Amino acid sequence: MTWQLLLSACVSGALYAVIALSLNLIYGTMRLLDVAHGEFVMVGAFAGYFLVTLLGVPPVLALLGAFALNGLAGLVLYQWLFAGIIRRARSTESLESTSLLVFFGLSVILQNGAALAFGGTPRAYERYARIVHVGGVAITGNRLVAMAACVLAVVAVLVFFARSTWGLAIRALIANRDAAAIVGIDTQAAFRLTCVLGFGLAGYAGAVIGLMQPVSPFMGGQYLMIGFVIIVLGGVGKLVGSVVGGVLIALLETVGTQLTGPNYRDILIYGTFIAVLLLRPQGIFGRHAA
Amino acid sequence: MTALLEVAGISKRFGGVTAVRDVSFSVAAGQIVGLMGANGAGKTTLFNLISGSFSPDSGRVLLDGREIQGQAPHRICRQGIGRTYQIVRPFPNLTVRENVAVGLIFGAGRHGRADLRQREDEILEETGLHSLAGQRAAELTLAGRKRLELARALATSPRLLMLDEVMAGLTPAEAGRALEMLQSIHARRGLAILVVEHNLRAMMQLCSRVVVLHHGEKIGQGTPEAITRDPAVIAAYLGAA
Amino acid sequence: MSRRAALAGGAATAAGFAARRARAQAGAPLKIGYGLPRTGYLGVASPVAEQAYLLWGEQVNAAGGLAIAGGGRRHVQFVSYDDQSEPSKTAEIYEKLISDDAVDLLLAPYGTPFHIAIAPVIERNRFPVVAAATLSSLLRDMHMRHMWFPQPLPDAYGVILAAFLAAQGVKSASLLTLQLPASLETRKYLLPQLSSRGISVALDQDYPNSTADMTGMVSAVRQAHADAVICLSYPQDSVLYVGTARELGITTPVQLLLIGPGEPFFVKKFARADLEGILTIGEWTPDQARWPRARAFNDAYVARWKEPPDYLDSTVSYASCEILAQAVAQVGLDHDAITAAMDSMAFDTVKGPIKFRGVENISTQPGLLQFQSGALQIVWPPDIATARFRPKTGWSL
Ligand SMILES: Nc1ncnc2c1ncn2[C@@H]1O[C@H](COP(=O)(O)OP(=O)(O)O)[C@@H](O)[C@H]1O
Ligand SMILES: [Mg+2]
């Protein structure tokens, strides 16, 4: 039974890691307080749903489709909206507060737009529904596919950031935007890439959720909360921190509630969140700002 | 022959404060020019105007005779101007080696990955950071971070290197080593340097020419010896110290 | 404000009243108001109710309008607002519908807290409202005089659920309860019924709405080895339960989910073999031959919305419109007359005959539905059943 719980925690942990990673890219790199992130996840979930049910795309490819669509939307939004906000901001604080308002507006528009376009009722499809046995633990195929898809995405993102030239540029940018610019990094180009990756990953995560659960215009809120909790745990701009934080939250949610009781879920998650805020505001894995 | 860098009648205001007013000077290729002035004189602002962090309100900045003022900082860097910050800004979450790599890859050299490792080693040797290559920048001492700031700027392959108080806050021994390092870098690479420093002795040893700013205006220039005898400079700056 | 302006304003208001009256007399559309959560946490649940309202309105207008006692027919026109899933907004909305929009009739909001929120407004205005999507005995116990409940209430479901379990020879049950009103109330009424029938509760666990993983809880269900699993869930966690119970191989022959299986997305989410045998509450299916309009409603709804109706919310919402329409056809638009008619009349709806005593529906027998061969069948109580109960035989592999 413990293995069953751990496997369940791995499934949600991998998903949470992708969501937190994507949010951390947007927030950590550009300091855009993306409170519409849950809605970007939702848009990806619908993209995945329609790709699968209307166009008959295999769900695994639909994940990539959702990534591409959302990434493109992120790019367009950057050019059209975010670039101006970033340019006009006088300080990090003012950028955060302006972007908070802008993203709040976006979240309302996306949620209501989706409700108008697709209706408010949940939609679901059934794929990879066979039960798979992994060393004595039974798991539905779609959850296994979802986990594998998330692990792949996380590894791909981490390798990209650890090894590639542009990954290095974005890490430098996260550390210090001005210094990145004066050593020759085209910050605009790096921000564009970040938007494609960040919003694309949010869409990817949404399509992954659609593999397992019904999708609806209102599904986003819970993932936004989880995303921010994990970012605080793992540290703003700390990509590996987001991955570890995601798994930690999933363990609290699954194994923690098994040890205490289902009603302790929120206490465990938000209690940890507040404890970290009080004791280690730079995140569990963050070091004091240098 | 045109100068490498020419600053022509440049001004910058912040609200009511005029930080730089109608300043002109030039730096020839391979020359080391000092920039002096009391705190708040506008030295850092001048650096920011040249490196593209700020756009000037008026005036021009020419590199090889081509106007560059108002361009994005990364473009100016790629045309051959590298700089350090007075308050150091290394990338704390990156290793020392990665900090250098960023400059090599994205700077004016635009180095590919082929001989990246070797070039990183060169710069790390040159700045005495080789033994710290694997450490995160956040773990360095202030002297170490100042050297890294210099190393990262060097990595961008500048023809003009702008150093903003790289010796401030160092012990006399550390400052002495830093001075030697600068001299050997200049000798080896033959680049032009624009240096802001309060340490008069260091300025005398390094610079062939000094520009003095006071309340944003240029009040004098000349050889270090001539400057120390200039009454206007003495009244405004040296006298005040 | 100057005296003249005030006078002018008063005159304008008076003119407005006159115009409104004239319009009403000339057979202008009948205004019917409601507020529903189109956004917020209930935005996902309410469309099944609103779609029933809209379908009914379209059908009425297609038939030439709503028949009014002594006054021919008038087209209906809906005036509706989004309450954003906030009960306090609902109260404001109904206040506005009555005073500003001057609607002729009102339809119900969505969800128990929202019905509770409008109670003072409609009682003060003596405005009759037929309740719809609410599963709560609280409201009935508030002794309201202008709201009636066509949906059987949780205490009634508690009684028949215990009777059903006893009839299947169940000796022990595991209970999982979501911390939302309908679930908590059902549990409250179910527990004494179980004990009076000698059914022990092997596991009694409640869980918050934020629950995103049920592995731990369903493991506990498996270890409890009860004869029945009663999961008092809402749609999202109903999906979670089925997925988890299948992974953990819960083979209990009786597995019931409170809300969810009757919603259209549910059958798309799971293979027929997995749906097979799952129980839920409800007493309506399109196949109930004794209610001839059930099938016609189902087909019209599917044709209009490209998805089947929700067996609970869509049907009761539609039935609430029918009840109101039949009262108006009998006594006209006078609110006191409608209130009186609710007491005396018997209504014929897509849910079968409905008759109120006080505010409670005494005609509709609460029932249980079960998935059999991909469709929901009424399996309890026997006199309205469309099929016999079949024990759940496990899950697909
Ligand atoms: N970003 C800025 N916003 C407003 N005022 C500034 C800014 N940067 C510099 N200043 C002002 O410009 C003047 C020159 O500052 P600075 O260039 O930093 O001097 P220095 O480097 O010579 O000590 C000072 O009065 C300073 O307060
Ligand atoms: Mg300065």
Side-chain angles (χ1 to χ4, degrees):
Chain A
M1 199 44 54
T2 339
W3 291 112
Q4 188 86 39
L5 284 171
L6 285 176
L7 190 58
S8 276
C10 289
V11 175
S12 3
L15 173 66
Y16 292 166
V18 175
I19 291 172
L21 209 51
S22 60
L23 184 61
N24 211 351
L25 277 176
I26 306 293
Y27 181 61
T29 311
M30 290 174 285
R31 292 294 162 149
L32 295 175
L33 210 41
D34 175 14
V35 290
H37 208 66
E39 278 61 49
F40 287 107
V41 169
M42 176 272 291
V43 169
F46 270 102
Y49 172 83
F50 286 119
L51 283 172
V52 172
T53 56
L54 289 186
L55 302 183
V57 176
V60 239
L61 290 185
L63 302 183
L64 299 179
F67 178 94
L69 281 172
N70 255 48
L72 188 66
L75 186 61
V76 171
L77 279 173
Y78 177 80
Q79 292 295 94
W80 173 68
L81 194 59
F82 308 151
I85 296 173
I86 293 172
R87 192 168 351 100
R88 280 189 294 273
R90 295 181 172 279
S91 65
T92 307
E93 288 73 28
S94 79
L95 177 57
E96 284 179 358
S97 54
T98 314
S99 62
L100 176 71
L101 291 177
V102 168
F103 278 98
F104 180 75
L106 269 179
S107 84
V108 172
I109 291 170
L110 286 174
Q111 202 178 83
N112 289 327
L116 271 181
F118 314 133
T121 43
R123 291 157 186 266
Y125 67 83
E126 184 223 355
R127 292 292 148 86
Y128 312 127
R130 291 177 65 88
I131 296 268
V132 182
H133 292 271
V134 186
V137 174
I139 184 166
T140 316
N142 58 24
R143 298 218 295 155
L144 212 54
V145 172
M147 179 170 72
C150 288
V151 169
L152 272 178
V154 165
V155 169
V157 169
L158 291 186
V159 167
F160 171 79
F161 278 99
R163 294 288 161 79
S164 77
T165 304
W166 276 102
L168 185 65
I170 294 177
R171 275 159 62 215
L173 202 60
I174 290 175
N176 194 311
R177 187 185 301 178
D178 292 336
I182 61 108
V183 293
I185 293 172
D186 181 349
T187 50
Q188 295 280 322
F191 284 167
R192 276 193 285 274
L193 177 62
T194 309
C195 279
V196 171
L197 277 179
F199 292 109
L201 275 180
Y204 184 91
V208 166
I209 294 168
L211 269 174
M212 302 183 280
Q213 286 162 30
V215 304
S216 87
F218 312 101
M219 64 190 279
Q222 63 186 108
Y223 299 107
L224 174 71
M225 284 309 297
I226 289 276
F228 272 114
V229 167
I230 293 171
I231 288 189
V232 168
L233 286 186
V236 173
K238 303 268 183 307
L239 301 180
V240 178
S242 285
V243 176
V244 181
V247 174
L248 195 72
I249 287 293
L251 280 173
L252 278 179
E253 179 171 288
T254 311
V255 182
T257 54
Q258 172 69 1
L259 296 176
T260 51
N263 289 318
Y264 289 88
R265 175 200 184 258
D266 294 352
I267 296 176
L268 284 172
I269 292 179
Y270 297 108
T272 310
F273 173 69
I274 289 168
V276 168
L277 267 186
L278 290 177
L279 302 176
R280 288 190 65 87
Q282 73 277 26
I284 295 181
F285 314 102
R287 284 162 232 225
H288 278 287
Chain B
M1 186 192 125
T2 56
L4 175 65
L5 175 78
E6 176 151 3
V7 175
I10 204 169
S11 297
K12 178 72 182 175
R13 294 169 58 88
F14 295 110
V17 182
T18 303
V20 172
R21 189 196 304 269
D22 196 23
V23 170
S24 304
F25 67 92
S26 62
V27 179
Q31 196 179 26
I32 302 186
V33 174
L35 192 58
M36 296 182 71
N39 279 330
K43 306 180 295 292
T44 299
T45 303
L46 197 53
F47 271 27
N48 284 331
L49 292 170
I50 296 170
S51 69
S53 299
F54 297 150
S55 307
D57 296 330
S58 59
R60 297 177 304 154
V61 179
L62 300 109
L63 186 68
D64 294 327
R66 280 194 305 272
E67 291 190 24
I68 58 164
Q69 76 276 4
Q71 289 188 14
H74 71 275
R75 291 191 177 282
I76 292 178
C77 169
R78 288 177 192 179
Q79 291 169 62
I81 297 183
R83 73 171 284 189
T84 66
Y85 284 103
Q86 179 177 357
I87 299 162
V88 291
R89 299 182 189 178
F91 305 121
N93 52 334
L94 271 53
T95 63
V96 167
R97 182 180 289 281
E98 284 175 327
N99 267 274
V100 171
V102 172
L104 284 168
I105 294 169
F106 291 95
R110 309 243 80 198
H111 293 294
R113 317 212 77 182
D115 50 355
L116 191 62
R117 180 92 191 176
Q118 184 196 332
R119 288 178 189 278
E120 286 167 5
D121 286 336
E122 270 169 32
I123 291 186
L124 291 169
E125 290 289 359
E126 208 171 349
T127 50
L129 286 168
H130 206 269
S131 59
L132 305 172
Q135 280 199 29
R136 282 160 26 96
E139 292 160 1
L140 300 184
T141 60
L142 177 67
R145 275 179 281 154
K146 291 226 164 194
R147 260 185 286 158
L148 178 56
E149 189 86 1
L150 175 65
R152 190 180 61 186
L154 271 184
T156 64
S157 311
R159 288 177 292 153
L160 172 68
L161 180 61
M162 304 198 296
L163 304 175
D164 199 350
E165 304 199 20
V166 283
M167 290 177 215
L170 302 186
T171 64
E174 285 169 343
R177 278 198 296 278
L179 186 63
E180 281 169 29
M181 188 185 295
L182 287 182
Q183 281 169 325
S184 78
I185 287 171
H186 180 248
R188 176 142 10 104
R189 295 179 174 247
L191 40 58
I193 301 179
L194 183 61
V195 54
V196 169
E197 208 55 64
H198 285 299
N199 184 331
L200 254 182
R201 239 193 14 209
M203 287 299 242
M204 307 275 261
Q205 288 184 38
L206 269 176
C207 307
S208 56
R209 199 156 54 85
V210 174
V211 174
V212 184
L213 288 185
H214 185 60
H215 291 324
E217 289 182 81
K218 187 171 100 171
I219 56 165
Q221 71 173 333
T223 61
E225 294 75 26
I227 280 297
T228 49
R229 289 192 299 270
D230 184 326
V233 173
I234 292 168
Y237 176 53
L238 301 173
Chain C
M1 193 197 281
S2 75
R3 197 186 157 105
R4 182 180 294 189
L7 280 176
T13 314
F17 275 125
R20 207 179 275 173
R21 181 147 307 158
R23 193 156 29 88
Q25 281 158 356
L30 196 67
K31 287 210 267 181
I32 303 184
Y34 61 85
L36 284 177
R38 296 201 180 99
T39 54
Y41 80 102
L42 282 174
V44 59
S46 70
V48 292
E50 180 157 31
Q51 289 173 6
Y53 289 167
L54 297 176
L55 173 66
W56 174 81
E58 289 169 10
Q59 288 176 332
V60 163
N61 288 343
L66 188 70
I68 298 163
R73 285 174 176 278
R74 280 168 66 187
H75 276 250
V76 302
Q77 180 196 341
F78 288 123
V79 185
S80 65
Y81 299 97
D82 175 15
D83 63 37
Q84 298 165 24
S85 301
E86 288 178 33
S88 61
K89 292 228 168 72
T90 306
E92 283 169 31
I93 287 171
Y94 276 75
E95 197 79 66
K96 172 172 159 49
L97 285 168
I98 295 170
S99 51
D100 294 1
D101 299 317
V103 296
D104 298 291
L105 299 169
L106 287 170
L107 296 177
Y110 187 86
T112 298
F114 302 80
H115 283 76
I116 292 176
I118 67 162
V121 179
I122 64 166
E123 290 299 322
R124 180 158 23 84
N125 290 282
R126 302 165 60 87
F127 207 124
V129 172
V130 183
T134 165
L135 196 61
S136 168
S137 315
L138 280 176
L139 274 151
R140 173 201 54 201
D141 301 339
M142 284 166 64
H143 300 292
M144 303 184 56
R145 304 193 49 218
H146 297 88
M147 194 186 275
W148 299 267
F149 298 90
Q151 178 70 45
L153 300 177
D155 46 356
Y157 284 111
V159 172
I160 62 132
L161 186 49
F164 164 78
L165 294 175
Q168 308 313 321
V170 167
K171 296 275 180 286
S172 64
S174 289
L175 230 63
L176 300 177
T177 309
L178 173 65
Q179 290 159 351
L180 283 179
S183 302
L184 291 170
E185 259 192 69
T186 307
R187 174 181 171 278
K188 177 177 116 188
Y189 290 109
L190 178 60
L191 284 176
Q193 292 293 328
L194 290 177
S195 88
S196 75
R197 289 189 179 267
I199 299 172
S200 67
V201 176
L203 173 77
D204 183 8
Q205 178 68 61
D206 55 345
Y207 60 91
N209 196 20
S210 55
T211 299
D213 187 287
M214 280 189 149
T215 311
M217 259 183 285
V218 178
S219 306
V221 163
R222 190 160 85 167
Q223 275 153 19
H225 289 298
D227 307 331
V229 184
I230 311 296
C231 186
L232 300 174
S233 49
Y234 278 35
Q236 282 291 337
D237 33 314
S238 291
V239 170
L240 267 183
Y241 173 83
V242 171
T244 315
R246 185 168 163 249
E247 284 180 357
L248 298 187
I250 302 294
T251 51
T252 315
V254 177
Q255 298 186 41
L256 178 137
L257 300 165
L258 187 65
I259 304 171
E263 296 209 6
F265 78 88
F266 205 83
V267 293
K268 299 222 179 98
K269 183 64 207 156
F270 299 106
R272 183 176 280 200
D274 292 318
L275 294 173
E276 190 69 16
I278 289 176
L279 289 157
T280 185
I281 61 164
E283 47 289 318
W284 186 88
T285 84
D287 300 318
Q288 174 55 277
R290 282 194 292 171
W291 307 329
R293 307 237 308 288
R295 172 53 65 183
F297 162 65
N298 182 80
D299 296 349
Y301 189 101
V302 171
R304 177 66 181 83
W305 300 111
K306 310 288 178 263
E307 65 181 21
D310 175 57
Y311 282 22
L312 288 175
D313 291 346
S314 299
T315 50
V316 76
S317 297
Y318 191 88
S320 75
C321 298
E322 292 181 300
I323 291 167
L324 200 56
Q326 287 164 26
V328 167
Q330 190 79 30
V331 302
L333 291 169
D334 181 73
H335 293 164
D336 290 340
I338 293 174
T339 301
M342 288 294 166
D343 264 342
S344 57
M345 285 178 67
F347 302 97
D348 176 28
T349 76
V350 292
K351 287 192 74 147
I354 287 179
K355 170 103 186 77
F356 294 111
R357 181 184 297 147
V359 299
E360 205 166 352
N361 173 1
I362 53 167
S363 297
T364 303
Q365 293 200 51
L368 299 178
L369 301 167
Q370 184 181 37
F371 273 112
Q372 295 188 358
S373 313
L376 284 167
Q377 298 289 346
I378 304 173
V379 294
W380 193 264
D383 41 325
I384 59 166
T386 55
R388 285 173 63 91
F389 169 74
R390 298 185 203 150
K392 180 150 184 60
T393 52
W395 309 91
S396 70
L397 287 176

